[in-house]
Amino acid sequence: MKEIVLEVKDLSASYRKTTVLHDVNFSVQRGSLTGIIGPNGAGKSTLIKTILELHPALTGTVKFFNEPYNKVKKRIGYVPQRGSVDWDFPTDALDVVTMGLYGQIGWLRRPTRKHKQKAYEALEKMGMGDYADRQISQLSGGQQQRVFLARALVQDADMYFMDEPLAGVDAATERAIMTILKELKAKGKTVLVVHHDLQTVEDYFDHVLLLNRTIINHGKTEDVFTMENIAETYGGNMRWMGEKREHAFHIVE
Amino acid sequence: MLSILSSSNTLWVLLSTMTLGVAAGTIGCIAYWKRQNLMSDALSHAALPGVVIAFLLWGEKNLLVLVIGAGITALIGALFIQWVTTSSRITEDSAMGMVLAVFYGFGIMLLAIANRLPGGNQSGLDNFIYGQAAAMVRSDVITMLILALVVLFIVFISFKEWKIFLFDKEFAQGLGISIQRMNTLYSVVLVMAIVIGIQAVGVILMAALLIIPAVSARYWTQSFHWMILLSALIGGLSGVLGTLVSTMKNGLPTGPFIVVVGAGFFVLSFLFGKEKGLFVNYVQYKFQQKQQLKLMEQEGGNV
């Protein structure tokens, strides 16, 4: 049995009147790459935000590396949804990546050339070296996502939470991001990714967490990612094309 | 003009309106990216009752005391807006509109009462509505200068924290920056920038000095720290030039002149600014069009 690095117990959360999450219990092993899957409004983003204390929890406890969040903040990296920030903000790609180092730089001090160099290397790793001094408003959606990934990389965290990093990006960016995620996993880092494309789940993730307001199932992809479980998660509004689940797609009610 | 400069009081006044402009330009940039320009307007109007109450309690006109009073009611206004927005279905802009009107109305009412008191109408409290830099004395100027420097210092030492707070709140929180504390600090520096300006510019127009330099600077740069520096520069220049013009004749209010000069800077930026200024946009469009036409001509020739 591998070491448990994230333990969530009895977590619940709400937005005003509606309960979005209830009875959420799960634990994640070191070095796993988990896809968080579920229909729209299932609470995927809320789950991540509640775990990271960006959204208040109604009940429950979360432990990272057997410690509360406050003690291990620096070991945890978060990649928010691309749409959550103002891309019109006047700054360039390198500067955004450098923000990932602010935690290490500390209060009252400015980034040095060494920090900039580190940020540049991360950009290069994401294939964005040529765009270092490009205005962020002039980057395409895929490039913006790569900048976000590079920012998470320079943080050099032990556990990463990513909210739909593959949403609305082109094939090349998707490949670049998946390469990095697998590299992180190979280094023994733990990664949790909110994902929406059912067809790629088996290729991308070794663990799957099926979520619809509570956990429907969680475990190794080959055990959990079954037709029955998916149907249960998506509430039956799935149509099956042929026999294979790869051909399943989500229809609008 | 020279005769104005030779008067030592005017030099002090110029120095203070310049510092005020610099501080307001700086904080205005933060308000701009917080997308809360209207907030500065609401809070500067909310400062008026504080000025009058402080005067009534203290019994004489002491700028520091008045500024503290102004700061208190402006902060109450800020808290009220926050509270109404988070605990009711009323949206932030309605809450700001209410605070602006109600606090200002209350302030005017108190002012009318204060003016009827013996000695009240000589107090010069009316100056706080449109601003009267010439009415300032040495000690007022020093009070303003110190407060403005404190505001600038707070922004300067935590510059990168402000940047990440404005650009990506959730990521900032992950880095261990407390959003609640930053919000509080923001309200405090915003209120400070407002209250130091109310004597020179007045409560009605103070918001313009926060908003105009920031939107003007946006037309010139694509970097946050340049935007702050430019905004501070435009604010400072508006302060100095507006004050100079208004002191040419006795009894002219300072605020409107400062604001008009600032508006001049805005028009220049809007037309000629290198980042999406009207003129530059047009030239770039024409250039691209020419290139495209040339290309089409060549291709047409080849066929």
Side-chain angles (χ1 to χ4, degrees):
Chain A
M1 188 72 188
K2 277 192 175 173
E3 185 189 347
I4 301 289
V5 287
L6 172 67
E7 200 167 16
V8 178
K9 271 190 189 154
D10 300 324
L11 200 69
S12 61
S14 69
Y15 277 106
R16 292 189 186 258
K17 278 186 206 157
T18 42
T19 309
V20 187
L21 292 171
H22 61 91
D23 293 331
V24 175
N25 291 284
F26 69 100
S27 55
V28 174
Q29 298 170 359
R30 177 187 294 279
S32 61
L33 176 51
T34 305
I36 302 175
I37 320 282
N40 291 340
K44 303 185 292 283
S45 297
T46 311
L47 175 64
I48 289 192
K49 285 185 185 172
T50 314
I51 288 175
L52 296 178
E53 296 181 10
L54 297 169
H55 184 81
L58 294 174
T59 62
T61 54
V62 181
K63 282 208 165 155
F64 305 82
F65 314 105
N66 267 322
E67 305 259 16
Y69 178 60
N70 275 332
K71 287 204 170 158
V72 290
K73 254 183 186 172
K74 285 194 178 151
R75 294 175 66 188
I76 295 162
Y78 172 50
V79 181
Q81 275 187 26
R82 190 153 42 86
S84 68
V85 305
D86 187 351
W87 289 98
D88 196 33
F89 193 81
T91 183
D92 58 33
L94 186 67
D95 200 36
V96 173
V97 179
T98 312
M99 288 175 188
L101 293 165
Y102 282 6
Q104 295 168 34
I105 297 169
W107 274 90
L108 313 183
R109 295 186 26 219
R110 285 176 189 220
T112 61
R113 193 183 297 163
K114 225 164 142 191
H115 294 121
K116 292 267 174 196
Q117 182 60 31
K118 221 171 158 185
Y120 181 76
E121 280 160 17
L123 266 178
E124 229 169 16
K125 207 162 182 200
M126 292 305 307
M128 289 285 293
D130 294 341
Y131 296 90
D133 47 14
R134 183 71 70 90
Q135 268 311 301
I136 55 166
S137 58
Q138 290 166 10
L139 298 172
S140 72
Q143 290 167 337
Q144 290 175 344
Q145 195 66 62
R146 288 185 196 210
V147 170
F148 262 19
L149 252 288
R151 181 175 70 174
L153 286 183
V154 296
Q155 268 186 291
D156 201 22
D158 293 322
M159 191 188 296
Y160 285 102
F161 292 84
M162 306 188 180
D163 202 344
E164 302 240 20
L166 301 175
V169 302
D170 56 29
T173 302
E174 184 156 336
R175 267 199 305 280
I177 292 175
M178 281 321 296
T179 309
I180 295 297
L181 292 192
K182 290 193 169 149
E183 228 179 281
L184 288 174
K185 172 186 151 69
K187 279 190 200 159
K189 317 233 168 189
T190 311
V191 187
L192 287 97
V193 180
V194 172
H195 189 62
H196 65 284
D197 182 9
L198 291 176
Q199 300 182 26
T200 50
V201 170
E202 286 173 308
D203 295 336
Y204 289 172
F205 303 107
D206 53 37
H207 283 71
V208 170
L209 192 154
L210 292 167
L211 188 79
N212 194 350
R213 297 181 176 250
T214 185
I215 290 182
I216 308 293
N217 225 316
H218 172 229
K220 287 202 163 130
T221 308
E222 62 258 36
D223 302 336
V224 170
F225 199 63
T226 61
M227 244 195 270
E228 297 75 43
N229 284 339
I230 299 167
E232 198 188 337
T233 311
Y234 282 80
N237 57 348
M238 297 285 294
R239 188 193 294 167
W240 304 97
M241 303 285 285
E243 287 303 298
K244 293 204 136 186
R245 61 173 166 265
E246 288 92 74
H247 300 296
F249 63 90
H250 193 192
I251 57 164
V252 181
E253 270 181 312
Chain B
M1 191 80 108
L2 278 176
S3 63
I4 299 167
L5 286 178
S6 63
S7 137
S8 73
N9 194 48
T10 311
L11 273 182
W12 278 99
V13 169
L14 283 177
L15 182 66
S16 70
T17 49
M18 185 188 79
T19 325
L20 163 68
V22 169
T26 305
I27 300 305
C29 247
I30 293 174
Y32 179 94
W33 288 110
K34 222 168 169 298
R35 304 282 183 199
Q36 271 194 336
N37 280 326
L38 201 61
M39 184 68 121
S40 31
D41 204 18
L43 298 193
S44 55
H45 281 77
L48 185 63
V51 172
V52 187
I53 292 171
F55 172 79
L56 291 174
L57 291 178
W58 194 256
E60 60 173 311
K61 202 178 137 234
N62 173 317
L63 187 63
L64 187 61
V65 174
L66 300 188
V67 152
I68 290 171
I72 290 172
T73 49
L75 275 177
I76 290 173
L79 287 177
F80 188 74
I81 291 168
Q82 208 174 23
W83 175 68
V84 166
T85 314
T86 52
S87 63
S88 75
R89 59 190 309 165
I90 298 167
T91 55
E92 194 177 39
D93 63 324
S94 318
M96 287 194 282
M98 269 165 63
V99 164
L100 187 151
V102 172
F103 277 64
Y104 182 67
F106 185 55
I108 292 289
M109 192 187 86
L110 288 175
L111 193 59
I113 295 170
N115 278 341
R116 276 175 204 203
L117 294 176
N121 54 348
Q122 267 91 50
S123 66
L125 280 184
D126 289 343
N127 288 336
F128 284 84
I129 295 175
Y130 293 116
Q132 184 55 270
M136 289 169 48
V137 296
R138 186 77 48 98
S139 65
D140 296 348
V141 171
I142 290 169
T143 305
M144 267 180 75
L145 274 177
I146 291 173
L147 289 173
L149 288 176
V150 170
V151 167
L152 290 173
F153 182 72
I154 290 175
V155 176
F156 178 77
I157 59 159
S158 48
F159 178 74
K160 70 180 195 311
E161 281 73 23
W162 283 109
K163 190 160 76 176
I164 183 105
F165 166 70
L166 293 170
F167 173 63
D168 193 342
K169 237 180 231 146
E170 289 180 343
F171 193 76
Q173 215 166 345
L175 291 178
I177 296 169
S178 157
I179 296 304
Q180 211 175 349
R181 237 177 277 166
M182 285 304 276
N183 272 328
T184 310
L185 191 63
Y186 164 74
S187 298
V188 169
V189 289
L190 179 65
V191 164
M192 276 177 80
I194 288 169
V195 296
I196 55 183
I198 53 173
Q199 187 173 25
V201 180
V203 294
I204 292 186
L205 294 175
M206 188 52 215
L209 200 53
L210 284 152
I211 298 168
I212 293 173
V215 294
S216 308
R218 184 73 187 102
Y219 279 97
W220 296 101
T221 175
Q222 285 286 17
S223 128
F224 184 58
H225 81 264
W226 275 110
M227 185 175 162
I228 284 208
L229 288 176
L230 265 176
S231 177
L233 179 75
I234 293 172
L237 279 175
S238 309
V240 169
L241 295 175
T243 309
L244 267 182
V245 177
S246 77
T247 42
M248 280 180 182
K249 275 228 168 74
N250 247 348
L252 290 179
T254 333
F257 286 90
I258 291 180
V259 171
V260 167
V261 172
F265 281 114
F266 170 73
V267 171
L268 280 180
S269 310
F270 175 63
L271 291 178
F272 303 111
K274 79 173 182 52
E275 301 294 338
K276 299 189 179 168
L278 271 191
F279 181 69
V280 172
N281 258 1
Y282 180 75
V283 169
Q284 279 171 348
Y285 171 76
K286 276 290 165 201
F287 177 76
Q288 294 284 349
Q289 194 177 39
K290 224 178 185 175
Q291 296 272 317
Q292 197 60 36
L293 286 173
K294 219 191 268 169
L295 217 73
M296 282 165 73
E297 224 166 70
Q298 278 169 4
E299 278 171 10
N302 289 339
V303 171

